[in-house]
Amino acid sequence: VNMVGMIHKSKGCFDFVNAARICVEKGYKISFVFHGSENYRPNTILNKTLKLLGFKQDISLEIKELIHELNLSKYFHFNNFTTDFNKIYSNQNILCFTSVLNSPGRPVFEAAYFKVPSILAISQPMGDTFIDGETGLTYLSSDYKDLANKIMYLYDNPKIRSDMGKKAFVLADKNFDQIINAEKVLKKYQEMLKT
């Protein structure tokens, strides 16, 4: 079960860790991975100043400390940023997109191209980007207990998980092809220039 992106406050990383704790406590042997973690330097004056002013959202140190305190270190892995999507998604079964921004993000679409379903924090997904119960599952932001239940549900139901991944791929292939979308945008610009 993976999260993709920097370990920032707005990404809902604490939800991910707390959901993992519940899964482990219930006996699930799941590997949780943060893809895109950055090298955090907590002692630099710049980092301390930015954090004090509320501009620095990186919470890598706090997340790693929490994982250690909860005795979850053997269940968590941290991988540095990469643009090689095969390294990120080819060994993934579930993507968790726990952002507090109430919208699907780029990793949801990337995962879909690898037939990986997502669990995301969104209250009203748009049918052209994500279909709850078909291309993945939703949960309410900050409800890490619900997130844990959704993770365990997909773990316990590999056929449903696989079907959701396939449907996610079909939706992404239909709506997020780079060439087709670039042509649509170009056409809109051309129409605007004619008026």
Side-chain angles (χ1 to χ4, degrees):
V1 178
N2 296 343
M3 273 191 70
V4 177
M6 298 300 180
I7 302 176
H8 288 180
K9 194 172 186 178
S10 66
K11 301 284 186 177
C13 298
F14 287 108
D15 282 358
F16 188 58
V17 174
N18 282 310
R21 174 182 54 81
I22 292 170
C23 294
V24 169
E25 285 173 355
K26 292 192 179 251
Y28 285 80
K29 294 183 175 23
I30 298 172
S31 178
F32 295 88
V33 181
F34 279 104
H35 279 285
S37 60
E38 58 187 61
N39 295 323
Y40 184 67
R41 297 180 185 89
N43 294 323
T44 66
I45 293 171
L46 178 61
N47 276 338
K48 285 183 178 179
T49 304
L50 289 173
K51 190 167 185 179
L52 184 66
L53 295 172
F55 294 117
K56 182 89 171 142
Q57 285 203 359
D58 183 287
I59 52 169
S60 298
L61 185 63
E62 292 93 331
I63 286 292
K64 289 177 181 177
E65 286 174 351
L66 178 62
I67 288 168
H68 179 73
E69 287 169 15
L70 296 174
N71 295 314
L72 297 174
S73 297
K74 71 179 182 177
Y75 298 97
F76 271 91
H77 307 281
F78 293 85
N79 295 330
N80 290 329
F81 173 81
T82 180
T83 56
D84 185 346
F85 293 156
N86 281 313
K87 285 185 179 177
I88 299 172
Y89 299 105
S90 60
N91 293 317
Q92 185 178 136
N93 296 111
I94 302 167
L95 171 76
C96 286
F97 193 77
T98 57
S99 170
V100 300
L101 302 177
N102 195 30
S103 65
R106 179 183 39 80
V108 173
F109 312 128
E110 292 169 354
Y113 276 107
F114 285 82
K115 299 180 180 170
V116 174
S118 299
I119 302 173
L120 67 144
I122 190 168
S123 56
Q124 296 179 327
M126 303 297 287
D128 62 342
T129 58
F130 185 86
I131 304 170
D132 188 26
E134 287 191 35
T135 62
L137 300 171
T138 63
Y139 81 102
L140 293 177
S141 182
S142 300
D143 188 352
Y144 63 84
K145 291 178 184 175
D146 189 30
L147 174 59
N149 287 331
K150 301 288 171 67
I151 292 170
M152 292 183 287
Y153 173 77
L154 289 181
Y155 180 92
D156 289 334
N157 295 281
K159 171 93 168 64
I160 291 172
R161 186 177 70 231
S162 175
D163 288 346
M164 285 183 176
K166 290 172 186 171
K167 288 176 183 176
F169 173 81
V170 170
L171 186 67
D173 195 47
K174 176 184 173 190
N175 294 324
F176 299 104
D177 182 278
Q178 295 176 29
I179 294 169
I180 292 171
N181 286 344
E183 287 172 355
K184 287 179 182 178
V185 170
L186 179 60
K187 187 176 178 183
K188 287 289 180 192
Y189 281 132
Q190 289 169 339
E191 288 171 4
M192 289 168 48
L193 288 172
K194 286 179 185 176
T195 58

